[in-house]
Amino acid sequence: MTASLTAITPPAWVVVFTSLLSDDSAGYGETAERIAALARQQPGFLDMKSLRDPATGLGITVSYWRDADAIAAWKAQADHLGAQAMGRSRWYRSYRIEVAEIRRARSGP
Amino acid sequence: MTASLTAITPPAWVVVFTSLLSDDSAGYGETAERIAALARQQPGFLDMKSLRDPATGLGITVSYWRDADAIAAWKAQADHLGAQAMGRSRWYRSYRIEVAEIRRARSGP
């Protein structure tokens, strides 16, 4: 078990990706793992946490980045573009993404 | 199953609450449900999604609000203050919160 959560210190940005898997999720898990590993290698990457409820198909991924440029570069990364297309055409029943600038952060205990 | 995700349209703010449950989580589930129901009644509330992995204790809750004032009012709400104190003293091994202004949002398919 992860012992603690690394604090996020502004300036930083967060991308919230929420999705509902479709019934056609063949290949999804492997791609999701590969893409997450690539994200961690991107310049400006800070952290990522991802959860999915197998019962409902609802997933939340939050990724943290140093600035908006780092997010734009990741959005345009080639392997990631391929995964995005697969997500739109097959894997996701519905999804939404918000790109947000962190104004305040705190952590504990 | 939820058929689709409601799009979030800026101007809007998001609060990302990430936590690891401690071994002393008695009463946590009931309070979490009650507090989530109260949040939905707050002025400026837009949406909330919450997931937790029972195997690791990791949880992510994202809540969406019309503006920073709505978030500040919710942070100071009396029942919520009580739950925050219980969380800090007993329920959470570790937690972090980011308050962020949404700059861009998209949804699909």
Side-chain angles (χ1 to χ4, degrees):
Chain A
M1 180 185 292
T2 308
S4 66
L5 294 161
T6 306
I8 303 294
T9 307
W13 288 58
V14 61
V15 178
V16 182
F17 178 66
T18 314
S19 61
L20 285 163
L21 283 184
S22 74
D23 297 327
D24 180 17
S25 60
Y28 172 76
E30 298 79 351
T31 302
E33 281 189 24
R34 186 170 54 84
I35 293 296
L38 287 171
R40 291 174 196 283
Q41 297 171 19
Q42 284 283 305
F45 174 90
L46 298 177
D47 195 14
M48 179 184 289
K49 292 284 181 286
S50 192
L51 292 175
R52 188 170 302 277
D53 179 351
T56 64
L58 177 68
I60 303 172
T61 298
V62 289
S63 61
Y64 297 90
W65 304 83
R66 183 50 69 206
D67 53 35
D69 287 347
I71 295 170
W74 170 236
K75 181 172 187 287
Q77 198 271 354
D79 301 272
H80 190 202
L81 283 176
Q84 289 169 48
M86 286 293 286
R88 280 193 301 269
S89 65
R90 289 186 40 208
W91 291 326
Y92 299 125
R93 178 190 309 273
S94 176
Y95 68 89
R96 69 185 183 199
I97 302 168
E98 297 88 32
V99 176
E101 185 174 0
I102 296 176
R103 295 301 196 182
R104 288 186 294 286
R106 57 187 190 279
S107 61
Chain B
M1 181 186 286
T2 308
S4 66
L5 294 160
T6 306
I8 303 295
T9 308
W13 289 58
V14 61
V15 178
V16 182
F17 179 65
T18 314
S19 61
L20 285 163
L21 283 184
S22 73
D23 297 327
D24 180 16
S25 60
Y28 172 76
E30 298 80 350
T31 300
E33 282 190 24
R34 185 169 55 84
I35 293 296
L38 287 172
R40 291 174 196 282
Q41 296 170 19
Q42 284 281 306
F45 174 89
L46 299 178
D47 196 14
M48 179 184 290
K49 293 284 181 285
S50 192
L51 292 175
R52 187 171 300 279
D53 180 352
T56 63
L58 177 68
I60 304 173
T61 298
V62 290
S63 60
Y64 298 89
W65 304 83
R66 184 50 68 206
D67 53 36
D69 287 347
I71 295 170
W74 170 235
K75 181 172 188 285
Q77 198 271 354
D79 300 273
H80 189 201
L81 284 175
Q84 290 170 48
M86 286 293 286
R88 282 193 300 269
S89 64
R90 289 187 40 209
W91 292 326
Y92 298 125
R93 180 190 308 272
S94 176
Y95 67 90
R96 69 185 182 199
I97 301 168
E98 297 88 32
V99 176
E101 186 173 0
I102 296 175
R103 296 302 197 180
R104 287 185 296 285
R106 59 187 188 276
S107 61

